Each structure stands twice: as C-alpha cells, then as structure tokens.
Amino acid sequence: MSEEFKSLVDISFDKGTPFWLHTKDYIFGMVPTDNDRWIEVSYTFEDPDEPFFTTERNADLSFQFLLEEVEKGVSFYVEDLKVPLLKEFANSLEGSSGSEKMNAIIAELINNSDKYSGNLPIIKSKDQLGILKEKV
C-alpha cells in the first residue's frame, strides 16, 4: 500500500499541479489526470486494514470534495483557518469550468496560504513531496 501511495505522490505533478495536505492523522490529495479528471487520495495512518484509498472524479465533483475537506476536515486541525474567506474565494469562481475552479483554488491555497491560515499543512511545491512519503 505505501509503495503504491509513494508512486502516486512521485507522479502527482506530471499532469498539472496537485493539491496535498497532511495532518497528524491523514494525508489528503487531489491529483490531476487527463481529460478534466482528478484522483482523490487519502492515506489514514490509524487504519490498519485499508489506509490508502483513491477514487477518480470529474473536476466539478473534485472541486466540491476539495472544498469540503479543507473547510470541514482541515479546520479540525488548523484553528486559525479562515473558512469564510475561502468560501468567498470559491464563490468568486462561479461560472468557471470545473477544471478552471480546481486550478484556481489550488493556486490560491498554494500561493496565498497565509491569507487563510498561519500554518496550513499543504505541499506547495514538488520539492516538498518527501514530507508526504516520510509519513507513510
């Protein structure tokens, strides 16, 4: 399982910019594929049976799942997360395609993470992927 996860991490930047976040309990990611689709990735450290899970979705659904994870999942770990500000940004993307929304929200969170939290646990560049692989 962990080798499959590490392989996916290694290729995650091959088709665009992925979104990766990590907490003490799990890793969550959205990895772009061809044809406006994304692979949602989760690795839950305390799950002995199936810690690694992936599912592929279209960009519109992936956008909704990414927002839900950041707004609900990460806010449990990051006390200073400004969820209303993130929702405001997401709402500004109304009318864009799913792919445009995914690329815009990922770029916003990577490039302006301090605007939303002083300690948002995300991977900002390919150079930081080792952080994820060390955790598994």
Side-chain angles (χ1 to χ4, degrees):
M1 290 275 178
S2 65
E3 290 309 311
E4 188 180 349
F5 171 78
K6 289 177 182 179
S7 294
L8 186 55
V9 168
D10 285 338
I11 64 163
S12 64
F13 275 86
D14 288 0
K15 301 199 174 159
T17 303
F19 177 77
W20 289 109
L21 67 86
H22 52 94
T23 71
K24 64 182 178 69
D25 296 322
Y26 70 97
I27 294 170
F28 173 84
M30 286 287 187
V31 178
T33 68
D34 291 326
N35 304 322
D36 199 36
R37 298 187 64 78
W38 292 73
I39 298 172
E40 178 181 339
V41 181
S42 65
Y43 198 105
T44 307
F45 304 126
E46 296 299 317
D47 186 343
D49 299 324
E50 294 188 43
F52 179 51
F53 175 79
T54 64
T55 188
E56 189 172 324
R57 296 191 176 93
N58 68 38
D60 282 316
L61 264 178
S62 294
F63 179 74
Q64 292 171 18
F65 277 87
L66 187 152
L67 276 180
E68 183 175 330
E69 186 61 39
V70 174
E71 291 173 359
K72 295 179 180 167
V74 177
S75 63
F76 179 76
Y77 296 90
V78 179
E79 292 179 15
D80 69 339
L81 184 62
K82 297 175 181 78
V83 172
L85 200 56
L86 183 60
K87 285 182 178 181
E88 185 180 309
F89 180 80
N91 289 338
S92 76
L93 302 173
E94 192 75 28
S96 300
S97 73
S99 197
E100 290 169 332
K101 288 179 187 178
M102 282 296 288
N103 290 323
I105 195 79
I106 290 170
E108 176 70 8
L109 287 168
I110 288 173
N111 297 324
N112 299 310
S113 59
D114 290 345
K115 179 176 172 183
Y116 301 100
S117 167
N119 58 346
L120 197 58
I122 63 173
I123 299 300
K124 294 183 179 184
S125 70
K126 195 173 188 173
D127 299 349
Q128 296 179 325
L129 290 176
I131 294 168
L132 301 175
K133 296 193 294 187
E134 288 170 9
K135 288 182 166 279
V136 295

